[in-house]
Amino acid sequence: MSLRGFRPTDVPFVSALVADALREHYDPSLYQSLSTEWPSGFLVAADTTDVPVGFLLGVSQVDGEARILMFAVDRHHRTLGVGALMMTAFLDRCRARGFRRVTLEVRVSNATAIRFYTRFQFSVIDLLRAYYSDGENGYQMARDLR
Ligand SMILES: CC(C)(COP(=O)(O)OP(=O)(O)OC[C@H]1O[C@@H](n2cnc3c(N)ncnc32)[C@H](O)[C@@H]1OP(=O)(O)O)[C@@H](O)C(=O)NCCC(=O)NCCS
């Protein structure tokens, strides 16, 4: 498994993973436009043949803070440490950029992801009512960086 930056040719994979794992649908042009401001905040995990198996898309919309907008690993490649690899690299990049805090949103029903984030020292800081397009509530989670 290797980590690399996002490429335009990754869009079909990323779109399919977002539909399957996150149950959301976005215009394909969104990924490229979100990656332009902070390209190294968009990590892709690829297998030995360079086929993507997961991605983490982080942006910085608030001064001194990063926000994880999307994070998913292909269902056939989960629980192998791919998510931890991406999260560890992402937090390192946030520190290198001098960010003091990282935030994210997660579905209240997504116990697997909430456990994962908790292991990475994120805590729930807010309840976001009807945050998702299907009406589900979300939690906002955050962690400080030092
Ligand atoms: C959340 C998500 C990205 C985690 O990715 P992942 O690659 O499965 O993550 P990891 O393999 O690093 O860790 C997952 C679990 O497997 C365990 N694990 C990691 N490597 C392992 C190994 N070699 N053997 C056994 N278990 C292992 C970890 O301990 C972890 O368990 P925990 O979270 O209960 O502590 C993935 O579950 C996913 O894509 N979910 C669907 C999309 C989603 O919910 N995204 C987040 C939306 S906010």
Side-chain angles (χ1 to χ4, degrees), residues 22 71-73 78-81 83-84 105 110 115-117 119:
L22 303 179
F71 177 43
V73 172
R78 288 181 196 159
T79 71
L80 298 172
E105 294 79 25
N110 193 348
R115 195 175 54 234
F116 178 94
Y117 294 136
R119 194 158 54 85

Side-chain angles (χ1 to χ4, degrees), residues 6-57:
F6 167 77
R7 299 174 191 148
T9 50
D10 294 328
V11 166
F13 163 80
V14 170
S15 295
L17 190 50
V18 167
D20 179 51
L22 303 179
R23 290 183 277 143
E24 296 286 355
H25 299 270
Y26 303 109
D27 189 289
S29 65
L30 178 79
Y31 303 107
Q32 184 70 52
S33 60
L34 285 172
S35 76
T36 47
E37 202 192 317
W38 182 27
S40 48
F42 197 159
L43 287 85
V44 172
D47 70 12
T48 49
T49 59
D50 203 33
V51 173
V53 299
F55 77 100
L56 188 160
L57 171 51

Side-chain angles (χ1 to χ4, degrees), residues 2 4 28 63 69-70 75 78 80 93 127 129 143-144:
S2 63
R4 60 169 175 78
D63 212 25
L69 276 190
M70 298 179 219
R75 56 176 71 248
R78 288 181 196 159
L80 298 172
R93 287 172 191 201
L127 174 68
R129 291 191 192 280
R143 69 157 281 177
D144 291 333

